[in-house]
Amino acid sequence: MATEIPVYFFSGFMDSGKTSLIRETLFENNFTENGSRLLLIACEDGDEEYDEAKLASIGGELVWIEKEEDFTYEKLVELNAQYRPDLVFIEYNGTWETGPVYEMRLPVGWIIVQSLATVDAGTFEMYQLNMRAMIMEQLFHADVVIFNRCDDKTPKTKFRAAVKAVNRKAQLVYERADGSVDEAEEALPFDLNADPLEITDADYALWFMDCMDHPDKYDGKRVHFTALVYNPQEGEGRNRRNVFVPGRFAMTCCIEDVQFLGMKAKYDKAYEIQHKSWIDLTAEIRYEFAKEYSGKGPVLYPVLIKSADRPEDELVYFS
């Protein structure tokens, strides 16, 4: 069997901190082992540069792939044969599509063991507004998303919801300008101590993602929001007994990328609620096992259900 060669893949727009992160990983965290051969493939020439002599001191070789059409299986095989690396770092170009990298064939033994995406917190909202599909495509496969250059005004909850909308498994890290990790509690746009929690259409997507990520925080609390009803079915087209799913359709990247954000609700009169109807819902949230979650998660127990008018905008957003 071929020896496994771990590949670390770094994505992000230019000046988002990729080079700095790689240098910190290699030189400050003693990432390489004595005698191991490192191949660093750089696809973007930014303001920060690599010290090739310093790289050589830890067994590293720097090579450039400057055109997207040159980033091919054949090219990587050529580099593998030339440098025979034990470890590969790839600093990908922020304007190239990342999806094909995860689908392409890699040299024998090469395994992407971790994908990291860097984001400049100061420009993220602007990119979301003007190049949403492009930046979200970079975050879609990332195991770790690092928001750097954060400050006290950084809307961390909003950023987390935006990432989790396209990549639920991603770990998020917030770094301040001095490089320290910002572990301050995220600010929510609604009053967590209110009874019930008043969730507006503007805040629904943020609340949904926070509740799914931290359901224990909402256990036992009551929530109030406007919802679209989905009646799940089981065998022979029958509705699930005593279950319905209230939620909202949310736009993540573009109008072609809309998903339904709904939670399981247990209600002994679920059969009375019409499929695709709009309701004004007040419910208690309980953190318990549900097979739909393949484990524990938030389950709604309705306290009050009233009919509601269709909102002027049926979609909710992560912004």
Side-chain angles (χ1 to χ4, degrees):
M1 292 181 62
T3 301
E4 181 176 301
I5 301 171
V7 177
Y8 292 82
F9 184 77
F10 296 80
S11 62
F13 284 149
M14 183 178 287
D15 298 329
S16 65
K18 296 192 298 292
T19 303
S20 297
L21 175 61
I22 291 173
R23 290 190 312 200
E24 177 183 339
T25 303
L26 292 176
F27 300 125
E28 296 181 21
N29 297 335
N30 299 317
F31 194 83
T32 58
E33 298 179 355
N34 292 333
S36 62
R37 295 184 297 272
L38 163 71
L39 174 61
L40 172 54
I41 301 173
C43 304
E44 188 175 72
D45 190 7
D47 292 337
E48 299 292 330
E49 297 180 351
Y50 293 106
D51 184 332
E52 293 193 49
K54 193 173 182 180
L55 271 175
S57 71
I58 60 170
E61 293 280 358
L62 174 65
V63 298
W64 293 89
I65 298 180
E66 299 180 346
K67 296 179 181 179
E68 187 172 7
E69 58 267 28
D70 292 337
F71 195 94
T72 63
Y73 166 71
E74 291 75 18
K75 180 63 176 179
L76 298 182
V77 167
E78 176 187 321
L79 294 176
N80 186 56
Q82 181 177 354
Y83 295 101
R84 296 181 294 112
D86 301 303
L87 175 68
V88 177
F89 273 37
I90 299 175
E91 181 180 355
Y92 206 60
N93 190 302
T95 63
W96 299 353
E97 286 188 72
T98 59
V101 176
Y102 296 93
E103 298 173 0
M104 71 182 292
R105 185 181 177 189
L106 296 176
V108 174
W110 286 31
I111 303 291
I112 297 179
V113 295
Q114 190 172 49
S115 173
L116 303 97
T118 53
V119 183
D120 184 341
T123 59
F124 182 61
E125 290 182 289
M126 178 188 69
Y127 286 141
Q128 271 193 296
L129 182 63
N130 299 303
M131 296 183 288
R132 180 184 294 267
M134 181 179 289
I135 192 168
M136 289 305 175
E137 196 260 350
Q138 293 182 2
L139 307 179
F140 184 76
H141 294 283
D143 300 305
V144 182
V145 177
I146 301 171
F147 284 96
N148 51 47
R149 301 159 193 164
C150 295
D151 57 31
D152 293 339
K153 296 182 180 179
T154 299
K156 295 188 291 182
T157 299
K158 184 186 295 186
F159 288 3
R160 177 163 58 85
V163 174
K164 293 290 187 175
V166 297
N167 185 350
R168 291 300 305 277
K169 68 178 178 60
Q171 174 188 352
L172 272 67
V173 178
Y174 305 95
E175 284 190 357
R176 300 184 73 88
D178 62 3
S180 63
V181 176
D182 187 345
E183 297 181 343
E185 186 174 348
E186 298 177 14
L188 296 169
F190 46 85
D191 184 1
L192 193 59
N193 296 314
D195 185 20
L197 301 176
E198 293 290 344
I199 306 301
T200 65
D201 289 358
D203 296 335
Y204 180 86
L206 301 181
W207 166 74
F208 178 89
M209 288 300 177
D210 195 57
C211 191
M212 295 300 290
D213 285 347
H214 307 289
D216 54 318
K217 183 165 65 177
Y218 294 90
D219 189 25
K221 292 185 178 292
R222 295 196 303 167
V223 62
H224 173 236
F225 61 93
T226 300
L228 178 66
V229 172
Y230 170 71
N231 288 327
Q233 295 185 333
E234 50 190 6
E236 299 181 2
R238 295 191 301 269
N239 287 350
R240 288 276 308 280
R241 180 179 174 84
N242 300 334
V243 171
F244 73 100
V245 181
R248 296 295 294 268
F249 280 101
M251 188 171 76
T252 54
C253 296
C254 55
I255 195 62
E256 290 82 14
D257 194 10
V258 172
Q259 60 177 301
F260 186 69
L261 305 181
M263 292 183 186
K264 179 179 181 178
K266 289 184 178 180
Y267 185 52
D268 58 4
K269 296 182 180 180
Y271 61 88
E272 296 181 354
I273 306 175
Q274 185 177 354
H275 182 57
K276 293 187 177 180
S277 62
W278 288 92
I279 61 173
D280 181 282
L281 174 65
T282 302
E284 180 181 333
I285 305 170
R286 299 181 191 172
Y287 180 36
E288 62 184 34
F289 176 84
K291 65 179 182 180
E292 293 82 356
Y293 302 141
S294 299
K296 296 183 70 175
V299 177
L300 301 176
Y301 284 80
V303 175
L304 180 63
I305 299 175
K306 298 186 293 185
S307 62
D309 295 330
R310 182 192 305 270
E312 184 175 340
D313 188 349
E314 297 184 25
L315 296 177
V316 295
Y317 306 88
F318 293 90
S319 59

